[in-house]
């Protein structure tokens, strides 16, 4: 049936399609249709506390995997992703990776702060929260970056992927919210960072462990995506405000973070800006960040550093933020390749070949002659 091939044709499909399927089943569940509940009752499903019978609450391994396993599966994904963070990178690749990671993070943080200040940090203009903006804008699609820089960029652009992998997961978003005054205890940061850190240590100590865990980085994605969807209602996705917010979030991610990264490259005397535009996306795994932040808020509430009301704010915002980030992930998967192609055409007209490593000595030849553009 070639199901996998069809899923891969959808931008971010490995994350988005299972999430939508989980949300669809959960939406049907929440309708509490009599004939479905009667069927579930007839096969021995126990009722919920409210007296309903639901697909996702039949107990056993099924409920543990498809309904209750979101955080566990997210943690496993972060562990596997951490194992792929190679600390052995070349000097030029390290420079580019640091520039991209730092500027993308500051662009997302600044936009989130400004958006929250000018409207509202929880339910701001277009329904966007500061958490959703920072989560979407600071986490780029590593697979797309590697593919685009491999085609249009040079070796050090591709090598920057090793540093960019540091933005996988919710840690940077959690850190940003902490700087903004959210009272997350140290243990909340440790709890989020530990799976990534352990995976990173093991992966760098033993290349065989890294190779063994590499499959888990993609294998786990559809499972935790499905469980995230199992906690959502499709009405979130078909709400015009959520769709509009998701598209706005995508445009901000591409144009603001991409523009800031490209400018940073120019300031640090990098000729080609293929890498900045290739990184101006929202990663599919950023969809998991709101759930992780909500879990961290629960920890903060249990330790007394955050009130129950404050923790509930993060938890209630998580579902809408997840839908918005999902839409942003799909949209940037379409927009970013276009941005890279346009950037490549623009700089080639100025005599800059993104595939060339050092433009001080390498220039594009036109009709056998050097272009008049001064690239020094």
């Amino acid at each position: 049936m070639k199901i996998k091939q069809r899923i891969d044709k959808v931008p971010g499909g490995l994350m988005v399609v299972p999430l939508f399927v989980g949300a669809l089943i959960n939406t049907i569940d929440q309708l509490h249709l009599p004939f479905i509940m009667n069927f579930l009752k007839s096969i021995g499903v126990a009722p919920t506390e409210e007296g309903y019978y639901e697909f996702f609450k039949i107990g056993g391994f099924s409920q543990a995997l498809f309904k209750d396993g979101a955080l566990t599966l997210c943690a496993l994904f972060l562990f596997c992703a951490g194992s792929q963070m190679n600390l052995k990178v070349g000097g030029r690749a390290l420079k580019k990776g640091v520039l991209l990671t730092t500027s993308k993070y500051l662009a997302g943080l600044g936009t989130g702060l400004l958006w929250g200040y000018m409207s509202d940090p929880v339910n701001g203009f277009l329904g966007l929260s500061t958490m959703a903006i920072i989560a979407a804008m600071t986490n780029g699609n590593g697979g797309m970056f590697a593919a685009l820089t491999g085609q249009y960029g040079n070796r050090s652009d591709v090598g920057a992927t090793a540093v960019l992998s540091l933005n996988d997961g919710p840690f940077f978003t959690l850190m940003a919210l902490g700087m903004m005054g959210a009272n997350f205890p140290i243990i909340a940061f440790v709890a989020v960072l530990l799976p990534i850190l352990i995976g990173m240590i093991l992966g760098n100590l033993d290349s065989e462990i890294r190779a063994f865990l590499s499959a888990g980085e993609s294998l786990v994605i559809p499972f935790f995506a499905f469980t995230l969807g199992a906690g959502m209602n499709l009405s979130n996705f078909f709400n015009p405000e959520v769709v509009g917010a998701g598209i706005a979030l995508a445009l901000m991610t591409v144009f603001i973070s991409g523009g800031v990264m490209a400018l940073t490259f120019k300031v640090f005397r990098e000729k080609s800006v293929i890498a900045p535009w290739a990184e101006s996306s929202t990663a599919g795994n950023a969809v998991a960040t709101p759930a992780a932040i909500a879990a961290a808020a629960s920890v903060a509430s249990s330790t007394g550093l955050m009130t129950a009301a404050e923790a509930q704010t993060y938890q209630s915002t998580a579902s809408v933020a997840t839908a918005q980030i999902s839409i942003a992930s799909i949209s940037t998967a379409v927009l970013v390749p276009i941005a890279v192609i346009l950037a490549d055409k623009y700089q080639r007209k100025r005599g800059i070949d993104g595939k060339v490593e050092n433009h001080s000595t390498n220039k594009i030849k036109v009709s056998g002659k050097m272009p008049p553009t001064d690239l020094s």
Side-chain angles (χ1 to χ4, degrees), residues 150-210:
Q151 183 175 356
Y152 296 96
N154 52 56
R155 185 174 297 176
S156 62
D157 288 338
V158 178
T161 307
V163 180
L164 290 170
S165 61
L166 294 173
N167 69 21
D168 281 342
F171 179 69
F172 278 175
T173 305
L174 191 65
M175 186 171 65
L177 294 174
M179 288 189 293
M180 292 166 57
N183 291 321
F184 292 105
I186 294 176
I187 189 60
F189 289 87
V190 173
V192 169
L193 185 60
L194 196 58
I196 304 174
L197 183 61
I198 295 174
M200 184 169 61
I201 292 172
L202 290 174
N204 281 276
L205 287 176
D206 189 340
S207 59
E208 291 186 6
I209 290 180
R210 176 186 294 131

Side-chain angles (χ1 to χ4, degrees), residues 201-270:
I201 292 172
L202 290 174
N204 281 276
L205 287 176
D206 189 340
S207 59
E208 291 186 6
I209 290 180
R210 176 186 294 131
F212 172 73
L213 293 173
S214 63
E217 190 175 17
S218 58
L219 179 63
V220 179
I221 289 177
F223 291 95
F224 82 70
F226 187 93
T227 57
L228 289 174
M232 303 172 65
N233 194 299
L234 276 181
S235 61
N236 290 330
F237 292 95
F238 295 109
N239 183 336
E241 292 183 359
V242 172
V243 175
I247 293 174
L249 191 54
L251 293 173
M252 287 192 293
T253 301
V254 174
F255 291 108
I256 297 178
S257 72
V260 170
M261 286 187 288
L263 179 61
T264 302
F265 259 43
K266 290 298 184 183
V267 170
F268 284 87
R269 305 181 66 81
E270 292 291 341

Side-chain angles (χ1 to χ4, degrees), residues 297-309:
S298 296
V299 174
S301 177
S302 65
T303 60
L305 290 178
M306 184 180 292
T307 65

Side-chain angles (χ1 to χ4, degrees), residues 31-97:
L31 293 175
H32 300 130
L33 300 174
F35 73 94
I36 293 178
M37 291 203 297
N38 289 335
F39 169 74
L40 293 174
K41 182 179 179 180
S42 69
I43 61 174
V45 174
T48 64
E49 293 181 359
E50 296 80 13
Y52 298 115
Y53 298 87
E54 299 179 359
F55 283 121
F56 281 137
K57 294 185 178 179
I58 62 176
F61 296 133
S62 297
Q63 183 172 334
L65 177 61
F66 298 121
K67 180 68 175 180
D68 300 334
L71 290 181
T72 301
L73 292 167
C74 284
L76 178 58
F77 164 76
L78 293 176
F79 182 89
C80 293
S83 71
Q84 306 307 303
M85 296 179 183
N86 192 346
L87 300 180
K88 298 176 183 179
V89 294
R92 193 172 179 83
L94 177 63
K95 172 193 173 184
K96 289 184 176 181

Side-chain angles (χ1 to χ4, degrees), residues 16-30:
V16 173
V17 172
L19 187 142
F20 271 89
V21 172
L24 174 62
I25 297 175
N26 186 61
T27 301
I28 296 173
D29 243 357
Q30 301 309 308

